[in-house]
Amino acid sequence: MKKIPWWQPQFGKKEVTLLKSVLQSAFPNEGKLTTEFENNIGEHLGVKHVLAVTSATAAMFLSLKSAGIGYGDEVIVPDITFIATANAVEMTGAKAILVDVDPLTLTIDINCFERAITDKTKAVIPVHISGRAADMHEVSKIAKRKKLLVVEDAAEAFMSKYKGKYLGTFGDMGCFSLSPAKTISTGQGGLIVTNDDNLYLKLKMLKDQGRPVRGTGGNDIHPALGFNFKFTDLQAAVGLGQLVYLEKRIQRMRKNHRIYKKLLSQLKEVSVLPFKVDAGELPQWTDVLTERRDDLVAFLKKKNIGSRNFWYPIHSQAYYKLSDEHFPISSALSPKALWLPSAFTLSDNDIVNVCKLIKTFFSDETS
Ligand SMILES: Cc1ncc(COP(=O)(O)O)c(C=O)c1O
């Protein structure tokens, strides 16, 4: 049977042409092409400022740091997300406070978020799992009332909309990932978006050794503390090339999800987690819940079909260890959750075949 990956990055001629020009220019550092890439992203998302950085993890660290968050502070993070979200908090010296998730969306549970707020809470990081929006209306309302910073983890939600606006543009800052399993990839890389001029300037200095303007390195003025989280024009060349295929990829990812929804909706053993596709939500990956997840994954693997298990809840990882009893939803759902093949390189037929196999698995008493 043809191999069907759960995800597959793809690079084309445009990236090669642009990369060649960067190499020939002998200026591989962050330069004009990075600015062009940032401007292009800003136009796509309708946001004032974009900063390209080394990863989404770095993007979240810098976002929290730009607001002065550090030792003694608490930042609320949902228990189901890639561990990077919590790690970015810990990197600032602040403490990541984990809260349970909503059973229908797997995004931050609003009541748990509100209950976790203390005098030390300075920020919240809602995470848009698989491109599915956290309840930004409620998150923003509570954050405003409690004077909390909102940093959106939109690592998986590039070009996904909520109430007519792109995810990542609701909070004070939004962070995106350009790692390989994303809609556009530069190998590694991340983006911070913000409409706040003051935060933008702070972020700019933080990512580049405290310099608002880069000179020779020898005679530069550093008015603030900063680090090195710069992008490179090599990555920007790849990113600009990737944007050429963006619309096609978006259409394909929507279609992948529609076919899954249609073909699996009658199957009682599998529930396809919902997306508001007509309202602009973009399913980056199709996620499903099933009691027999591990058996299904093993069966698909034998048939050459890739899939990916959901992360273990963060509270179950050594550094963050807490009792399951505080996280009934994430503890119950994480072992049932997986991502089905969702690559933009797949065809209708590939998805139909995956669904057929899933149905075979559940109809076969002996499987
Ligand atoms: C929800 C979420 N947050 C954060 C990250 C971290 O992104 P990066 O690998 O670019 O640091 C990822 C990466 O896949 C992610 O899925």
Side-chain angles (χ1 to χ4, degrees):
M1 172 123 189
K2 178 189 166 193
K3 190 172 175 165
I4 299 183
W6 92 269
W7 185 263
Q8 175 75 58
Q10 200 172 53
F11 302 94
K13 281 196 188 123
K14 178 85 178 174
E15 290 90 318
V16 175
T17 310
L18 286 169
L19 263 175
K20 250 192 197 164
S21 74
V22 174
L23 291 170
Q24 281 162 354
S25 77
F27 188 86
N29 204 348
E30 182 176 288
K32 278 192 196 129
L33 224 55
T34 300
T35 306
E36 194 181 325
F37 180 55
E38 290 170 336
N39 290 342
N40 203 323
I41 296 285
E43 280 165 27
H44 273 92
L45 297 177
V47 73
K48 199 165 171 192
H49 302 294
V50 179
L51 292 109
V53 295
T54 50
S55 66
T57 311
M60 288 185 278
F61 161 73
L62 293 167
S63 297
L64 297 170
K65 195 88 186 151
S66 72
I69 289 168
Y71 291 98
D73 297 332
E74 293 179 351
V75 176
I76 296 174
V77 170
D79 192 36
I80 289 208
T81 172
F82 184 43
I83 200 165
T85 319
N87 289 348
V89 174
E90 297 287 323
M91 200 172 164
T92 66
K95 189 169 164 49
I97 303 296
L98 303 172
V99 297
D100 212 346
V101 296
D102 176 89
L104 290 179
T105 63
L106 302 185
T107 62
I108 192 163
D109 179 290
I110 297 301
N111 292 325
C112 295
F113 160 42
E114 197 161 14
R115 276 203 300 274
I117 298 171
T118 70
D119 290 348
K120 292 182 180 171
T121 311
K122 292 289 175 338
V124 58
I125 311 186
V127 184
H128 309 305
I129 297 294
S130 311
R132 183 180 299 102
D135 186 346
M136 288 312 296
H137 179 73
E138 286 301 315
V139 167
S140 309
K141 215 166 77 182
I142 296 166
K144 194 169 172 200
R145 183 156 33 85
K146 298 283 185 177
K147 296 192 171 51
L148 305 181
L149 184 84
V150 179
V151 176
E152 288 177 78
D153 180 341
E156 303 170 6
F158 181 53
M159 297 303 284
S160 186
K161 276 185 178 171
Y162 169 83
K163 295 189 191 275
K165 223 172 104 169
Y166 285 109
L167 289 170
T169 67
F170 285 85
D172 297 284
M173 285 161 278
C175 301
F176 297 89
S177 173
L178 300 167
S179 66
K182 304 299 182 310
T183 311
I184 61 164
S185 174
T186 58
Q188 293 290 334
L191 299 163
I192 310 170
V193 304
T194 184
N195 285 312
D196 186 312
D197 297 341
N198 189 33
L199 287 174
Y200 172 67
L201 187 63
K202 285 189 176 158
L203 287 163
K204 208 169 165 212
M205 291 196 282
L206 270 172
K207 73 169 253 193
D208 190 18
Q209 311 290 10
R211 294 180 285 199
V213 180
R214 204 170 340 138
T216 63
N219 59 356
D220 290 354
I221 306 294
H222 303 258
L225 174 67
F227 311 98
N228 181 5
F229 288 100
K230 288 195 295 293
F231 209 55
T232 67
D233 275 12
L234 290 166
Q235 289 165 293
V238 177
L240 283 164
Q242 292 271 287
L243 284 170
V244 172
Y245 328 110
L246 181 63
E247 197 43 47
K248 230 172 133 188
R249 290 181 180 182
I250 289 173
Q251 296 308 334
R252 184 67 247 173
M253 279 151 45
R254 282 201 189 115
K255 203 159 181 213
N256 286 350
H257 181 75
R258 266 195 214 112
I259 302 173
Y260 278 127
K261 204 173 121 189
K262 185 164 167 233
L263 298 183
L264 297 180
S265 62
Q266 304 301 320
L267 195 62
K268 66 176 186 326
E269 292 91 346
V270 172
S271 58
V272 179
L273 289 165
F275 277 95
K276 298 185 180 97
V277 178
D278 294 336
E281 236 174 29
L282 176 61
Q284 156 107 60
W285 308 320
T286 288
D287 37 16
V288 301
L289 297 174
T290 177
E291 296 286 340
R292 293 184 61 201
R293 182 194 66 179
D294 294 345
D295 293 339
L296 175 64
V297 166
F299 172 81
L300 291 175
K301 194 173 171 200
K302 262 198 258 161
K303 304 284 180 191
N304 246 341
I305 310 294
S307 63
R308 182 163 79 128
N309 284 355
F310 254 61
W311 316 281
Y312 295 108
I314 299 182
H315 81 267
S316 68
Q317 302 286 0
Y319 179 85
Y320 296 98
K321 199 82 181 162
L322 290 166
S323 162
D324 281 358
E325 72 186 288
H326 305 300
F327 305 93
I329 305 298
S330 65
S331 302
L333 296 190
S334 156
K336 297 181 193 169
L338 83 152
W339 286 287
L340 294 175
S342 303
F344 49 71
T345 49
L346 301 180
S347 65
D348 289 5
N349 221 14
D350 290 333
I351 309 289
V352 169
N353 284 336
V354 173
C355 292
K356 267 190 200 151
L357 279 170
I358 293 174
K359 286 181 183 171
T360 307
F361 171 78
F362 284 107
S363 65
D364 185 353
E365 296 286 327
T366 59
S367 63

